[in-house]
Amino acid sequence: MSYPYQIKTFEQYQADYKKSIENPEAFWSAIAENFTWRKKWDKTLEWNFTEPKIEWFKGGKLNITENCLDRHLEKMGNMPAIIWEPNDPEEHHRVLTYRKLYEKVCQFAHVLKTNGVQKGDRVCIYMGMIPELAIAVLACARIGAIHSVIFGGFSAQSIADRLEDAKASFVITCDGAFRGAKDIPLKSVIDDALIGNKTVKRVIVATRTRTPVSMIKGRDVWWEDEIKNVETLGLTDCPAEEMDAEDPLFILYTSGSTGKPKGVVHTCGGYMVYTNYSFVNVFQYQPGQIHFCTADIGWVTGHSYIVYGPLSAGATTLMFEGIPTWPDAGRFWEIVDKYKVNILYTAPTAIRSLMGFGLGPLAGKNLSSLQVLGTVGEPINEEAWHWYDENIGKKKCPIVDTWWQTETGGILISNLAGVTPSKPGWATLPLPGVQVTLVDENGKEIEQGDADIVSGNLCIKAPWPGILRTTYGDHERCRTNYFATYPGMYFTGDGAMRNKEGMYRITGRVDDVLNVSGHRIGTAEVENAINMHAGVVESAVVGYPHEVKGQGIYAFVIYQGSHGQDTHGTGDLVRKDITQTVTRIIGPIAKPDKIQFVSGLPKTRSGKIMRRILRKIAEGETDNLGDTTTLLDPGVVEEIKKGRL
Ligand code: WTA
């Protein structure tokens, strides 16, 4: 494959950026020409950010899997599409060529069809990182079903909420998943999630761990049996469903500052073009290179840069089932050495955690195949950036610091590897087509003037093809969340700085969303979960700086339950109970790191919790709390300060 739209020089970046802003339609339609369409689009872009209504490649017909699979078969059928490294290094790895992956996707698409899945149905996928997960995702896309992948760390309750919100009629899962030394019983979590569910008709279960599972007659079927079934029926090639460019491709749930997670909806045409374009340009992918993105497909990074971006570009994508620290902290480096990985894309939290093990785990590992390094998910601190640069990239590999979100579909701000300048801690420049700006609290755009650095709230002024179209089942929520704070603009929820060169440094969320180990968690969600625990009267959750996780979760809890006397001692039992409750309601990723018992929370006279004060206390800045005179009971602050953990 060749990528005529791959930017090769900084001058070309500047020229392309200019073109993309002057005439977005001409710019993106020229890029979209490089894909396989059943029918070309009538109109490249129609939009307004008021409703909002955003349509790219309007009237175009396609199937994303024809772009990820079929079009590569003739010339690259024998090229590895997916290399899969199992959790246990002793177990045999698997390689799926484009031909093999095509066959497996077609076969499983038939399985879905014979089980009654139709175009537009919502299919929930809750699996570990095995090739069958990618196959399931692509098989849904093949037949026009809308997939909604849920990360394996979410609890039954979280899954139940998502199933209900999406009105999902099918679930695809595994008996269990291996992650490091753990064996996670996925099917049994699904069984719990399905208690009381009224929409799911069928559960397809792939075997991985051989954990005993209960298979309910009439509802649950084995993946392997179903494959045999379609084999017997002689069903092989599966024609791809013709999709409208604006038909939904998937729903992915993500946390916001209020209420339950919302289902971000991406559509077929724009998402395809944008993930491919950003993949090819940011990582400067060259045909034949091995791309290793360490994310889980349960998050957007896995969707865009393990599955759709790389496969639509005919790349070889490496999928790893396990975790960076098992059996030891050299696992990533061993994988890089074993497969001669060229591009490594990971999260700052992983880098910081591996840094903690020193250079020992790197001994004997040949990392000379690496050409490009990337980070995503949270701001990278300079120390981690330099460690990555010196010890992993040996100062020879450009590091791309890629800023984006579930809602943006693909990378929006990043240097292009080796093509545009990098700067430690800075995501740097927006990709072509992305009109970034900073605004003050009143929504007024901040001018650079003579300032070296300005800061503000990060907004985007016009749509790019990968922008979310709606939040599933509740368009109003999409409007109020992203398009109402600063009318006429998409508001990211992030704060950022900008320097004279127009480079951006993301400083973190300015709303009540936490970023714990690169995972998005809403403070309101965690509070709701804590408040479910019998005996908890009220709680307030804030983030605080954490050396490895980036942010840790600090909970202030008013507790009057029957174990109440325990809070006067160490309170550890109650803490464990509360933690267990959060694990049950959301999942282990949302467990508070610190729980401080308090007798009251700092509130304004109108009853609003003053989180600013709690954040300062959690951060340890207790001398600098600002104005506390508007508090209903300023005394409570003194008590909280004294009890700080
Ligand atoms: C944060 C992950 C700093 C940011 C792709 C954003 C980052 C949130 C970066 C989205 C980065 C992501 N530098 N912060 N390079 N990348 N973020 O939806 O706060 O899981 O709003 O998407 O992660 O998280 P999400």
Side-chain angles (χ1 to χ4, degrees):
M1 270 205 101
S2 66
Y3 316 112
Y5 44 88
Q6 191 171 53
I7 299 166
K8 303 283 190 198
T9 62
F10 188 47
E11 291 67 38
Q12 195 194 340
Y13 161 77
Q14 288 173 316
D16 281 11
Y17 190 82
K18 193 158 171 276
K19 263 194 255 168
S20 76
I21 303 308
E22 286 168 359
N23 192 343
E25 291 198 54
F27 179 79
W28 287 110
S29 108
I31 291 163
E33 293 285 346
N34 295 284
F35 295 79
T36 301
W37 298 81
R38 295 270 185 94
K39 174 182 169 288
K40 286 274 158 67
W41 52 98
D42 309 314
K43 181 88 177 77
T44 307
L45 171 63
E46 249 169 34
W47 69 288
N48 72 68
F49 275 177
T50 357
E51 293 175 64
K53 189 174 169 86
I54 303 146
E55 293 172 297
W56 280 98
F57 312 113
K58 202 174 169 183
K61 304 280 180 195
L62 78 159
N63 187 292
I64 197 169
T65 68
E66 288 189 333
N67 287 276
C68 290
L69 302 168
D70 307 47
R71 69 164 169 164
H72 307 316
L73 293 181
E74 198 188 328
K75 291 205 179 115
M76 303 191 308
N78 295 324
M79 266 258 306
I82 297 180
I83 297 176
W84 176 73
E85 168 72 5
N87 181 57
D88 180 352
E90 304 288 310
E91 190 185 337
H92 220 286
H93 71 278
R94 284 167 67 186
V95 177
L96 279 81
T97 61
Y98 271 97
R99 159 88 35 211
K100 194 85 211 153
L101 182 61
Y102 165 83
E103 287 169 3
K104 291 206 172 269
V105 168
C106 283
Q107 240 184 358
F108 194 66
H110 278 302
V111 167
L112 293 176
K113 280 184 163 182
T114 53
N115 277 281
V117 184
Q118 291 179 352
K119 179 176 180 173
D121 285 343
R122 274 79 54 217
V123 178
C124 158
I125 303 179
Y126 185 67
M127 299 173 87
M129 281 285 284
I130 55 175
E132 283 65 27
L133 166 52
I135 292 166
V137 162
L138 292 164
C140 286
R142 185 96 183 155
I143 66 167
I146 303 169
H147 58 76
S148 181
V149 184
I150 301 178
F151 175 63
F154 281 111
S155 70
Q157 182 63 53
S158 296
I159 300 168
D161 292 344
R162 287 158 170 78
L163 289 174
E164 192 183 308
D165 188 80
K167 299 190 182 53
S169 36
F170 298 86
V171 174
I172 307 170
T173 188
C174 308
D175 47 0
F178 294 125
R179 269 178 77 75
K182 287 191 202 138
D183 168 352
I184 302 154
L186 298 182
K187 172 60 165 66
S188 124
V189 178
I190 288 292
D191 289 336
D192 289 345
L194 287 176
I195 296 171
N197 174 286
K198 293 197 176 60
T199 54
V200 173
K201 296 183 246 178
R202 181 124 310 166
V203 181
I204 302 176
V205 187
T207 46
R208 173 63 184 130
T209 56
R210 303 268 160 188
T211 311
V213 295
S214 70
M215 295 291 282
I216 305 299
K217 197 179 291 162
R219 189 192 73 185
D220 302 350
V221 294
W222 290 108
W223 175 299
E224 295 76 11
D225 290 348
E226 295 303 297
I227 293 285
K228 276 201 203 104
N229 220 357
V230 299
E231 272 172 359
T232 323
L233 294 169
L235 298 168
T236 50
D237 286 353
C238 178
E241 187 73 33
E242 187 170 289
M243 304 296 284
D244 194 276
E246 283 299 337
D247 278 337
L249 173 65
F250 65 84
I251 306 172
L252 188 56
Y253 284 86
T254 191
S255 295
S257 46
T258 51
K260 293 214 162 131
K262 41 189 183 276
V264 169
V265 175
H266 284 289
T267 57
C268 298
Y271 176 82
M272 169 183 77
V273 171
Y274 197 74
T275 50
N276 176 292
Y277 178 80
S278 52
F279 172 73
V280 162
N281 279 297
V282 171
F283 301 103
Q284 288 289 304
Y285 185 81
Q286 305 303 319
Q289 284 186 326
I290 314 262
H291 172 78
F292 177 20
C293 166
T294 70
D296 191 290
I297 294 177
W299 307 108
V300 75
T301 307
H303 281 63
S304 301
Y305 300 110
I306 296 179
V307 183
Y308 289 114
L311 295 179
S312 68
T316 298
T317 178
L318 197 151
M319 225 180 130
F320 172 43
E321 185 183 30
I323 57 170
T325 48
W326 193 85
D328 59 55
R331 193 65 198 278
F332 276 0
W333 324 129
E334 183 195 300
I335 295 173
V336 169
D337 190 351
K338 180 169 171 189
Y339 301 103
K340 305 289 168 248
V341 168
N342 306 110
I343 305 169
L344 175 67
Y345 188 31
T346 194
T349 187
I351 299 168
R352 286 191 300 264
S353 128
L354 295 174
M355 257 170 83
F357 291 89
L359 298 181
L362 284 159
K365 312 279 174 14
N366 183 350
L367 305 183
S368 62
S369 58
L370 286 174
Q371 293 173 335
V372 172
L373 303 177
T375 76
V376 61
E378 47 175 326
I380 181 162
N381 49 313
E382 292 194 22
E383 195 192 352
W385 195 98
H386 287 294
W387 189 88
Y388 200 31
D389 182 38
E390 283 158 29
N391 300 298
I392 309 307
K394 316 284 184 203
K395 293 201 153 190
K396 286 188 318 225
C397 304
I399 299 179
V400 289
D401 178 349
T402 66
W403 173 85
W404 59 297
Q405 312 177 296
T406 304
E407 294 86 345
T408 71
I411 299 163
L412 293 196
I413 307 181
S414 172
N415 49 316
L416 312 181
V419 172
T420 65
S422 70
K423 189 171 163 68
W426 292 66
T428 74
L429 300 170
L431 264 64
V434 181
Q435 300 189 36
V436 187
T437 188
L438 296 178
V439 302
D440 64 19
E441 314 77 82
N442 304 317
K444 194 171 157 311
E445 284 191 59
I446 294 167
E447 305 280 338
Q448 193 77 26
D450 291 332
D452 285 337
I453 287 183
V454 291
S455 57
N457 295 331
L458 187 65
C459 289
I460 302 162
K461 296 200 278 186
W464 61 99
I467 189 174
L468 86 161
R469 301 301 195 266
T470 188
T471 44
Y472 192 79
D474 192 351
H475 192 64
E476 179 57 12
R477 193 162 177 209
C478 172
R479 192 186 69 80
T480 50
N481 256 291
Y482 306 107
F483 299 93
T485 319
Y486 304 114
M489 291 188 230
Y490 167 83
F491 176 43
T492 63
D494 280 315
M497 308 197 291
R498 185 179 57 218
N499 70 9
K500 272 191 177 145
E501 286 80 54
M503 291 179 166
Y504 288 85
R505 175 182 195 136
I506 315 299
T507 44
R509 303 288 305 198
V510 292
D511 53 8
D512 291 320
V513 172
L514 305 178
N515 193 328
V516 181
S517 301
H519 300 153
R520 261 169 83 166
I521 300 168
T523 51
E525 265 176 275
V526 183
E527 287 166 7
N528 290 342
I530 292 175
N531 297 348
M532 299 274 285
H533 184 66
V536 170
V537 179
E538 198 178 3
S539 65
V541 165
V542 297
Y544 71 97
H546 187 288
E547 223 170 90
V548 175
K549 297 179 178 186
Q551 270 190 312
I553 302 180
Y554 198 122
F556 298 90
V557 175
I558 306 176
Y559 186 85
Q560 284 175 0
S562 59
H563 288 82
Q565 65 280 12
D566 197 38
T567 59
H568 301 307
T570 63
D572 275 351
L573 184 59
V574 180
R575 283 197 182 89
K576 281 185 189 147
D577 288 348
I578 291 174
T579 304
Q580 182 60 18
T581 312
V582 175
T583 305
R584 274 267 164 206
I585 304 292
I586 307 176
I589 57 170
K591 283 198 290 208
D593 298 275
K594 293 183 178 178
I595 298 174
Q596 179 181 345
F597 296 109
V598 296
S599 66
L601 292 165
K603 287 189 179 169
T604 60
R605 277 173 237 278
S606 59
K608 235 182 121 214
I609 297 175
M610 289 193 73
R611 289 163 185 287
R612 175 178 60 80
I613 293 175
L614 293 175
R615 230 175 272 135
K616 286 250 160 102
I617 295 176
E619 284 166 5
E621 285 186 42
T622 45
D623 299 334
N624 176 23
L625 293 183
D627 184 15
T628 55
T629 50
T630 55
L631 286 177
L632 192 59
D633 172 14
V636 91
V637 174
E638 286 311 308
E639 179 216 304
I640 297 176
K641 265 162 68 174
K642 274 200 208 98
R644 181 176 171 267
L645 299 171

